[in-house]
Amino acid sequence: MEPEVRIIARPQIDYEEVAAYLAEVGGESWLERLDRGELDDAQNLAEFAGRICYRSWEPGLNPNVRRVRTDQDAYLRNILASAHGSVLEHVNFTFVLHGVSRVVTHELVRHRAGTAVSQESLRFVRLDDLPFWFPDWAQEDAELMERATALLEQMEAFQHWMAERFHLDDQGVPFSEKKAKTSFMRRFAPEGVATGLVWTANVRTLRHVIESRTASGAEEEIRLLFGKVADLLAKEAPALFGDYVVEDGAWTPAWRKV
């Protein structure tokens, strides 16, 4: 089973409220310069957060600021280059990760800062089969695949046997009993079984995780997964993720520790 990634939520700006704020502090010309397409809100939000720090909507609002960058790409490149990463924490993307193993999710929870996680619970979800990802090199080994497939089929059969043994599909079985037995049954599933989760992270966190989890020393499946995450984000917000150099699957940013 191939790990899949979809972006299911992204930043959305209320431009009327932004305009009302700027009418009070000045700087309406900044809002007039912006593109307001669906995929622009992430970059616009990062720029908004950065400009409020210095009141740099336009020259003269801050007596210390005589010149401002009017090109968004240049502005955000300067944010990255100066490691002003706190403004990137306002920009969140939410992903649904499908068909990823618990090997991956056990590693992913180590990245706690700036994230939110809701994962499929095998205490409640009973396994009918054991979806599994095999890397290319494993699939090329005929004997390995034969033995691995036989083992997975045996474990799947044991899941079905336990469900019958515990009468989980009989009429009137309390859900509390189903939950207890299902929780026991998951102990006989391999760590490589595919699962799903919703994962939300801000841009500052995403930049760090993409670099660390696509690096050559990272676990193979998580490298595959975050290569896909990075591909999506490079299209969603090129000014925030366009500084990476990709070599042999490793995404290395021009500016680290933002």
Side-chain angles (χ1 to χ4, degrees), residues 80-244:
L80 297 174
S82 60
H84 190 17
S86 62
V87 302
L88 304 182
E89 295 178 12
H90 299 287
V91 184
N92 289 274
F93 289 94
T94 297
F95 307 84
V96 59
L97 309 180
H98 174 62
V100 298
S101 73
R102 291 189 170 245
V103 172
V104 166
T105 62
H106 291 342
E107 294 206 15
L108 191 55
V109 295
R110 295 174 59 195
H111 300 288
R112 297 179 298 277
T115 70
V117 181
S118 297
Q119 182 169 343
E120 179 183 66
S121 172
L122 296 188
R123 188 183 183 197
F124 295 91
V125 178
R126 195 197 324 164
L127 293 168
D128 288 316
D129 58 3
L130 301 177
F132 209 85
W133 173 75
F134 288 95
D136 291 341
W137 63 262
Q139 295 186 52
E140 293 168 0
D141 187 327
E143 183 177 359
L144 172 63
M145 291 301 297
E146 182 180 355
R147 289 176 177 268
T149 301
L151 180 59
L152 287 171
E153 289 175 348
Q154 184 179 4
M155 297 174 78
E156 286 179 343
F158 186 50
Q159 292 288 329
H160 288 281
W161 179 86
M162 285 189 289
E164 294 177 5
R165 179 74 171 182
F166 303 145
H167 305 287
L168 295 185
D169 291 322
D170 287 3
Q171 190 72 24
V173 178
F175 188 77
S176 59
E177 183 177 342
K178 291 183 178 182
K179 181 175 67 174
K181 294 298 195 301
T182 300
S183 181
F184 172 78
M185 291 164 66
R186 65 178 169 172
R187 297 173 184 271
F188 298 92
E191 191 169 7
V193 67
T195 187
L197 68 156
V198 174
W199 187 70
T200 301
N202 67 54
V203 167
R204 193 179 201 178
T205 295
L206 282 164
R207 286 182 58 87
H208 164 68
V209 178
I210 286 170
E211 179 184 7
S212 62
R213 293 304 185 174
T214 62
S216 60
E219 201 275 335
E220 189 170 2
E221 185 188 0
I222 206 169
R223 290 193 77 202
L224 171 64
L225 177 68
F226 274 93
K228 294 184 176 184
V229 170
D231 280 332
L232 288 173
L233 290 172
K235 296 180 178 69
E236 285 275 329
L240 298 175
F241 295 95
D243 60 305
Y244 287 82

